[in-house]
Amino acid sequence: MTVRERSSSRWSETSFDGFENQQDQNVGDGISPEFSTKNDQEQANDEKGEDDLTRIASKNLDDNETAPQDTQKRLPEGCTYGPVMDTAFLSDTKIRLEDGNDARVAEDDMEKRVIWVDFPVGSPANPFNFAASRKFGMTIVAALFTWLTGVNLGAFTIGYASMMEDLNCTRFQASLGNGVYNFGFGIAPLLIAPLSEEFGRRWTYVIAVIAYLLMHIMLALSRNLGTMLAARVLQGCAGSVAATLVGGTIADIFVPADRGLPTAVFSFAAIAGSAFGPLLFCWVESTERLQWRWIWYIQSMMIAALIVPICLIMRETREPVILRRRAKKLRKERGLMDGGRYTARSEIGKVSFWNGIKTNCLRAITFLAVEPILLFFAIWMGLAWGVLYAMVTGLSYVFKGTYGFTTNQVGLVYLTIVIGASIGLATNFIQDAIYRRRVSIDGIEARLYSPMVGGIGLAIGCVWFGLTSLPSVHWILPCIGIVIIIASIFPIYLSGFIYISECYGSYASSAIAAQSWVRNTVAAVFIFFILSMYDALTPRWTCVTWGCVALLLSSVPFIAFKYGPQIRARSKFSKLLMKEEQERILREKEAAQNSQNGQ
């Protein structure tokens, strides 16, 4: 982190009650964290610069105490005076004044101050204060988008046969379509954070769902393998918004204690959606006059129907974006007439859009390198997601080859994934009850009880499915194995969002983007080799092999539960960001209580 970037936080820490705590807990604001290593001289220079800035900021605080009370009263609700806005402050915080205002600040005899723009107490513009009906509607619409991205995966798999014949491609070439879809899903989140920072979440949703629709039409009209693969990777990039932003939206509008159920609904949509694809479209594939192209035409109609609810129901939830817009509006209406420049805290040290992309990618990669909790959870989730995709891709292979099922019968087998996801969703209520009872004792590790059970269940389910996938064994037994696998994957997937988010606070989006990249990359690799592995080892020993790997990785949540606090205490990111998140929520509660007492 440069002196300027660190000074921006220093200004806020010293001149107001915690700028860092106002940062969004789900998507980074593009402010570069300290990743580089410095030699002793550079470190000494940085520390000297910080000391100088601290003295200046302290002087500004002293000056702020003498701000005229009548002027303070004229400020719009939620706005407060900050430090003196002199040349040094502007240089260190990277605030850009509007045309003409820089000269006024330099020449005006009366000193100008920063006027911090925040939400008024109880403001309906604050996403935490949205009406319950609005929160419910936004959660459902966002989960539907997530559900459609899952439907996409399974629908592509069930349409292999007719697509291979129409495009004259091999089974491996057809499977590349799902592989590149997942690569798009893994890479795009690294770009989503600065995109939503620049334009807000709402417009990112709108643009993404329209792009997702266009890529479905492109796929339905494709006449060769290259066009099909291009459409698939672009579908993955557009659809990744449903994985990246939905978790952030939920965290924007719900306090941590209330995020369990909405995140579980999101997880159910992601996992069960992959089963609804084959379940719904097996009938289209088996109808000779429809087949694979109509699988995509019908999905295009479903996505087009979602555009209207997204435009009407989704609202901007990203706090820094909302406050920057309010600050811009106040600057336009009032200029410097109130003795200062209206400024949102997220404008301090804000970098350009392209620098934000570079910072976000670097931060995500660095987190994987230096944060052991994130790294091992990402690997564990990658295995779980790979097994899920192995089920989605391989069920047709197993049940057609082993039991002679038809396409429609195979489609019905995918109901087992829905049943498993439903059981996983039901167990979330138990996990939430345990969390509320144990959080004061175990801290955020109280989120890990169901993942600990799920890790062992995944290993058991894989071995069960492998050992029962034989012609001599009734088909219902491998179906039970699938239910165990999916019910076990659910809490693993859920923990990867909630636990990681609570570990990394305002940089949760970078942490989630990192685990998403690992998870989807592993899943894509699984898709490439799983059918060949079935050919070489048979489904029986393939699944037993992955069951043994799952058993080894099931130790991850147990280690995190026992040693998580010590590991986080050694992390220069996690311990500070968790404190930031907790203080932010505490301020919201105190403000609400003060408002009620005032009434």
Side-chain angles (χ1 to χ4, degrees):
M1 180 187 288
T2 64
V3 175
R4 282 188 179 182
E5 288 166 327
R6 301 215 310 246
S7 71
S8 66
S9 296
R10 182 72 68 180
W11 280 110
S12 305
E13 290 171 359
T14 314
S15 60
F16 194 78
D17 196 14
F19 153 68
E20 287 188 358
N21 301 321
Q22 293 296 327
Q23 299 304 300
D24 172 52
Q25 69 270 30
N26 300 285
V27 180
D29 286 319
I31 302 175
S32 303
E34 183 182 2
F35 288 136
S36 58
T37 54
K38 302 176 182 293
N39 59 36
D40 293 340
Q41 184 61 44
E42 289 174 315
Q43 188 67 35
N45 291 339
D46 281 358
E47 291 172 356
K48 182 180 183 299
E50 286 189 11
D51 291 341
D52 293 340
L53 288 168
T54 302
R55 285 194 295 272
I56 295 172
S58 298
K59 179 180 183 297
N60 288 333
L61 251 186
D62 295 338
D63 291 344
N64 190 38
E65 293 173 357
T66 64
Q69 293 300 314
D70 59 335
T71 306
Q72 179 73 38
K73 291 178 182 178
R74 291 200 301 267
L75 293 181
E77 191 176 0
C79 298
T80 54
Y81 283 104
V84 173
M85 191 170 56
D86 54 18
T87 304
F89 177 85
L90 295 175
S91 174
D92 288 320
T93 58
K94 301 181 182 178
I95 291 178
R96 288 192 238 172
L97 298 180
E98 290 71 23
D99 293 340
N101 282 349
D102 51 351
R104 292 177 62 185
V105 170
E107 298 173 2
D108 202 327
D109 292 336
M110 182 182 294
E111 66 181 14
K112 302 297 182 185
R113 293 177 175 274
V114 170
I115 302 176
W116 296 125
V117 177
D118 293 297
F119 290 118
V121 175
S123 170
N126 186 336
F128 279 160
N129 297 331
F130 283 176
S133 58
R134 170 70 65 184
K135 293 181 179 182
F136 175 80
M138 292 176 65
T139 302
I140 295 302
V141 170
L144 283 174
F145 190 12
T146 303
W147 181 77
L148 286 172
T149 63
V151 169
N152 179 305
L153 176 75
F156 187 85
T157 301
I158 206 68
Y160 271 2
S162 60
M163 184 181 67
M164 289 163 55
E165 182 178 352
D166 195 12
L167 299 184
N168 192 29
C169 60
T170 65
R171 185 184 68 181
F172 175 76
Q173 289 172 329
S175 69
L176 290 176
N178 266 345
V180 297
Y181 179 75
N182 278 277
F183 277 125
F185 240 87
I187 294 173
L190 300 176
L191 312 178
I192 298 290
L195 189 67
S196 65
E197 159 66 13
E198 194 74 19
F199 303 106
R201 292 205 200 282
R202 182 173 183 267
W203 284 109
T204 306
Y205 275 118
V206 172
I207 293 169
V209 75
I210 292 173
Y212 200 53
L213 169 62
L214 294 177
M215 292 308 103
H216 275 67
I217 296 173
M218 176 180 174
L219 179 57
L221 297 175
S222 60
R223 299 294 174 184
N224 54 64
L225 181 64
T227 306
M228 181 271 285
L229 293 177
R232 289 298 285 167
V233 70
L234 293 174
Q235 278 182 345
C237 292
S240 67
V241 168
T244 304
L245 286 198
V246 172
T249 300
I250 289 172
D252 285 343
I253 61 181
F254 294 100
V255 296
D258 297 333
R259 291 174 192 164
L261 180 58
T263 307
V265 172
F266 158 64
S267 301
F268 176 83
I271 294 174
S274 61
F276 276 105
L279 185 62
L280 295 175
F281 293 104
C282 62
W283 315 99
V284 178
E285 171 66 12
S286 61
T287 303
E288 190 171 346
R289 58 190 176 85
L290 298 177
Q291 297 192 324
W292 78 278
R293 292 189 188 277
W294 272 97
I295 290 177
W296 302 104
Y297 284 133
I298 295 172
Q299 285 186 79
S300 298
M301 299 174 196
M302 296 165 67
I303 297 167
L306 184 64
I307 293 176
V308 174
I310 282 183
C311 293
L312 294 180
I313 297 176
M314 300 303 289
R315 290 290 181 269
E316 184 55 55
T317 63
R318 182 149 167 67
E319 180 183 290
V321 172
I322 299 172
L323 292 177
R324 282 204 304 272
R325 290 174 181 172
R326 185 183 185 216
K328 183 177 180 180
K329 181 180 179 182
L330 289 170
R331 288 197 296 270
K332 184 177 180 180
E333 293 174 351
R334 306 173 75 94
L336 298 175
M337 63 181 288
D338 294 321
R341 178 189 188 271
Y342 287 93
T343 305
R345 300 175 193 280
S346 59
E347 294 179 71
I348 301 294
K350 186 176 183 298
V351 299
S352 67
F353 174 67
W354 293 110
N355 281 338
I357 291 178
K358 181 175 69 174
T359 298
N360 207 58
C361 293
L362 177 62
R363 187 186 301 134
I365 294 171
T366 304
F367 272 13
L368 284 174
V370 302
E371 295 293 319
I373 288 180
L374 177 62
L375 176 63
F376 285 105
F377 262 85
I379 295 173
W380 186 42
M381 289 184 66
L383 173 68
W385 213 237
V387 171
L388 171 64
Y389 280 27
M391 294 291 101
V392 173
T393 304
L395 286 187
S396 180
Y397 179 100
V398 173
F399 283 89
K400 281 185 177 181
T402 304
Y403 297 104
F405 278 21
T406 65
T407 299
N408 291 347
Q409 289 172 326
V410 170
L412 291 174
V413 172
Y414 282 87
L415 274 172
T416 57
I417 295 179
V418 179
I419 295 170
S422 300
I423 294 173
L425 179 62
T427 61
N428 176 72
F429 293 98
I430 301 174
Q431 169 59 56
D432 272 358
I434 294 174
Y435 174 78
R436 289 188 173 91
R437 189 170 64 249
R438 299 284 304 180
V439 65
S440 60
I441 302 171
D442 300 326
I444 65 170
E445 276 67 35
R447 297 281 189 193
L448 297 177
Y449 283 96
S450 62
M452 287 190 285
V453 176
I456 297 174
L458 177 60
I460 293 173
C462 287
V463 173
W464 180 304
F465 179 79
L467 295 180
T468 58
S469 296
L470 298 170
S472 58
V473 178
H474 194 277
W475 57 265
I476 197 65
L477 289 178
C479 286
I480 293 173
I482 298 169
V483 171
I484 296 172
I485 289 172
I486 303 304
S488 302
I489 288 174
F490 192 94
I492 298 173
Y493 181 75
L494 193 61
S495 69
F497 285 90
I498 298 183
Y499 180 70
I500 295 299
S501 293
E502 294 186 3
C503 279
Y504 293 98
S506 62
Y507 288 137
S509 67
S510 296
I512 290 174
Q515 66 91 343
S516 179
W517 176 69
V518 172
R519 173 169 53 84
N520 285 288
T521 299
V522 171
V525 172
F526 260 77
I527 291 171
F528 289 152
F529 71 70
I530 194 65
L531 295 180
S532 298
M533 195 170 181
Y534 281 156
D535 287 335
L537 297 180
T538 71
R540 181 182 192 181
W541 296 113
T542 297
C543 293
V544 169
T545 299
W546 291 115
C548 295
V549 176
L551 182 62
L552 179 64
L553 290 176
S554 67
S555 61
V556 170
F558 289 93
I559 294 173
F561 184 85
K562 184 173 179 60
Y563 299 107
Q566 296 95 309
I567 295 173
R568 288 198 310 278
R570 297 178 182 178
S571 165
K572 62 182 178 181
F573 298 110
S574 182
K575 62 182 178 182
L576 295 176
L577 296 172
M578 284 184 64
K579 181 181 178 182
E580 167 191 316
E581 168 77 357
Q582 292 163 0
E583 291 177 352
R584 177 175 182 266
I585 300 303
L586 181 61
R587 280 201 312 277
E588 292 287 344
K589 290 182 178 179
E590 289 176 348
Q593 290 173 355
N594 292 337
S595 177
Q596 292 175 357
N597 294 336
Q599 294 174 354

